[in-house]
């Protein structure tokens, strides 16, 4: 019996090692997709995040033409990386609205002055209430909203150059 007790630490270490190795070889998917795809925008009305852009409400996203809804924050590094692509989409005629998540007007203004402002409207979501209602799990995330206010697509993470053609195609299909 004593001999088996001597092997117990080695067996426990082996089990621990196997569990860690399994997690490294086959990591679980941590991306949380919104359950709102195909559903109407939740009702909301956010105050303006900065003085230079109007406030944002769910009614603004159901005015007859597809739009992008970008959730961003000034403290978000991937939001900086996607800024050139958002400006490119704006120059292509895409209306982009935004929700600034857990941010201050001063920080938002500094961010937009430094990296560009492609947004028609920016709502301030200081508690992330609207972001969570959308099923968004972080920043940046971008939703394509059709002209009737239905969420048709969710892009998780920063928009990269290779994503722009797909987003333009999905916007065209959402008309």
């Amino acid at each position: 019996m004593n001999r088996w007790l001597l092997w117990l630490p080695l067996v426990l270490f082996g089990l621990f090692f196997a569990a860690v190795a399994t997690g490294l070889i086959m990591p679980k998917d941590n991306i949380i997709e919104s359950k709102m795809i195909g559903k109407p925008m939740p009702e909301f009305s956010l105050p303006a995040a900065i003085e230079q852009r109007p406030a944002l409400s769910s009614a603004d996203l159901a005015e007859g033409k597809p739009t992008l809804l970008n959730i961003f924050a000034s403290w978000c590094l991937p939001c900086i990386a996607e800024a050139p692509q958002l400006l490119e989409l704006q120059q292509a005629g895409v209306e982009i609205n935004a929700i600034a998540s857990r941010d201050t007007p001063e920080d938002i203004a500094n961010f937009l002055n430094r990296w560009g402002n492609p947004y028609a409207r920016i709502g301030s979501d200081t508690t992330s209430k609207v972001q969570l209602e959308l099923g968004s799990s972080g920043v940046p995330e971008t939703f394509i909203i059709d002209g009737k206010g239905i969420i048709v697509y969710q892009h998780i993470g920063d928009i990269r150059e290779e994503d722009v053609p797909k987003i333009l195609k999905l916007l065209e299909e959402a008309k």
Side-chain angles (χ1 to χ4, degrees):
M1 184 70 165
N2 287 339
R3 283 189 169 179
W4 289 108
L5 288 176
L6 290 174
W7 288 98
L8 185 62
L10 183 60
V11 170
L12 291 175
F13 177 76
L15 291 172
F16 173 76
F17 181 78
V20 170
T22 301
L24 291 173
I25 294 169
M26 300 180 311
K28 65 179 184 173
D29 187 8
N30 289 330
I31 294 176
I32 301 171
E33 293 184 8
S34 175
K35 303 279 188 237
M36 295 297 293
I37 306 299
K39 296 180 180 174
M41 287 292 298
E43 296 272 332
F44 70 88
S45 181
L46 294 172
I50 57 172
E51 290 181 13
Q52 296 84 0
R53 291 294 188 266
L56 180 67
S57 72
S58 52
D60 297 323
L61 303 173
E63 294 183 336
K65 76 175 203 173
T67 183
L68 286 184
L69 177 61
N70 180 251
I71 301 173
F72 80 103
S74 66
W75 43 263
C76 161
L77 292 178
C79 296
I80 295 169
E82 80 173 354
Q85 285 69 246
L86 291 175
L87 290 168
E88 180 182 340
L89 287 163
Q90 180 203 29
Q91 290 171 352
V94 175
E95 180 180 320
I96 306 172
N97 294 292
I99 294 176
S101 181
R102 297 186 182 265
D103 226 328
T104 65
E106 300 80 23
D107 290 341
I108 296 166
N110 289 336
F111 177 89
L112 297 173
N113 286 336
R114 183 164 186 190
W115 305 109
N117 187 350
Y119 305 118
R121 295 178 182 87
I122 307 173
S124 177
D125 190 10
T126 57
T127 63
S128 296
K129 182 179 183 291
V130 175
Q131 180 182 4
L132 293 173
E133 287 177 1
L134 285 168
S136 169
S137 61
V139 290
E141 281 191 34
T142 304
F143 294 87
I144 295 178
I145 316 298
D146 74 6
K148 297 174 188 167
I150 307 294
I151 302 168
V152 296
Y153 177 75
Q154 174 189 24
H155 182 89
I156 299 172
D158 58 313
I159 296 173
R160 300 182 180 190
E161 185 63 39
E162 60 268 18
D163 299 320
V164 171
K166 177 181 180 179
I167 290 172
L168 289 171
K169 181 178 184 250
L170 289 167
L171 282 163
E172 186 63 33
E173 292 172 359
K175 285 185 178 178

